[in-house]
């Protein structure tokens, strides 16, 4: 299951809630009538009764949540949905990347991918190097030219100094 949004605070008196959206497709994932699983599971599933997008924020009402008190009880709940089979090239879900073996272009074992972090400038892979150090690898084609899900690996062509134990070239 993929994290779609996290429920924030109540908005108004009729059970509307503000969401922190984690999906790049909120129009479809948060459509009226969508049924979302929850974390913790005992709270859900929740069905979206109404949705609106105002001033760069998403707001929802759920079936059975009719007032502010009931809405406040959902604060912090994570909304989950099944992955969508996309045929988009160069698009991976975080759970698909976690656990992949990291190799250099010549096949040397560098470590394992622990996950991905979405930073303001760009996404980075979290690499647990064979030395045990944790390194953030810019997730760009120049540094990560190959993501081979069926083969269970990523190729990392790291510039000098990025990985533990490597030094940048003199004069740079």
């Amino acid at each position: 299951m993929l994290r779609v949004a996290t429920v924030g605070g109540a908005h108004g008196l009729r059970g509307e809630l503000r969401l922190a959206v984690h999906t790049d497709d909120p129009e479809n994932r948060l459509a009226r009538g969508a049924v979302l699983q929850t974390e913790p599971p005992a709270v859900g599933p929740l069905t979206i009764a109404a949705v609106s997008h105002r001033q760069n924020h998403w707001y929802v009402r759920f079936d059975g949540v009719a007032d502010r008190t009931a809405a406040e009880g959902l604060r912090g709940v994570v909304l989950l949905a099944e992955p969508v089979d996309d045929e988009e090239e160069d698009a991976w879900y975080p759970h698909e990347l976690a656990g992949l073996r990291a190799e250099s272009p010549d096949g040397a074992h560098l470590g394992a991918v622990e996950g991905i972090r979405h930073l303001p400038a760009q996404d980075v892979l979290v690499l647990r190097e064979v030395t045990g150090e944790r390194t953030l690898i810019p997730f760009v084609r120049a540094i990560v030219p190959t993501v081979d899900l069926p083969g269970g690996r990523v190729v990392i062509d790291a510039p000098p100094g990025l990985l533990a134990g490597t030094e940048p070239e003199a004069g740079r």
Side-chain angles (χ1 to χ4, degrees):
M1 300 292 280
L2 299 176
R3 184 176 62 145
V4 173
T6 302
V7 177
H11 183 77
L13 300 174
R14 296 194 176 125
E16 190 173 52
L17 291 149
R18 184 170 166 176
L19 298 179
V21 176
H22 308 298
T23 178
D24 59 356
D25 188 15
E27 291 84 9
N28 290 317
R29 293 291 194 164
L30 301 173
R32 184 172 187 257
V35 178
L36 301 168
Q37 300 302 312
T38 61
E39 183 60 45
V43 177
L46 294 172
T47 302
I48 296 179
V51 61
S52 63
H53 185 233
R54 303 184 304 268
Q55 299 175 345
N56 295 325
H57 297 290
W58 288 89
Y59 299 91
V60 296
R61 277 189 309 104
F62 296 110
D63 286 345
V65 179
D67 60 29
R68 184 178 185 90
T69 303
E72 278 296 335
L74 295 175
R75 181 188 293 264
V77 170
V78 177
L79 304 175
L80 307 168
E82 291 287 337
V84 176
D85 280 338
D86 283 343
E87 295 299 322
E88 185 178 342
E89 185 178 332
D90 292 346
W92 302 278
Y93 289 112
H95 72 273
E96 294 176 311
L97 299 169
L100 294 180
R101 174 186 165 93
E103 300 176 353
S104 67
D106 64 4
H109 180 60
L110 300 175
V113 175
E114 288 188 339
I116 189 169
R117 290 184 56 196
H118 306 288
L119 301 181
Q122 67 192 23
D123 294 341
V124 293
L125 291 179
V126 179
L127 174 68
R128 180 65 65 182
E129 295 189 50
V130 292
T131 61
E133 295 196 43
R134 193 171 144 257
T135 304
L136 300 180
I137 306 293
F139 197 18
V140 295
R141 187 177 298 279
I143 297 174
V144 186
T146 305
V147 176
D148 178 10
L149 293 181
R153 69 186 186 103
V154 295
V155 174
I156 297 176
D157 191 4
L162 182 61
L163 299 175
T166 64
E167 296 295 323
E169 295 176 18
R172 290 197 169 192

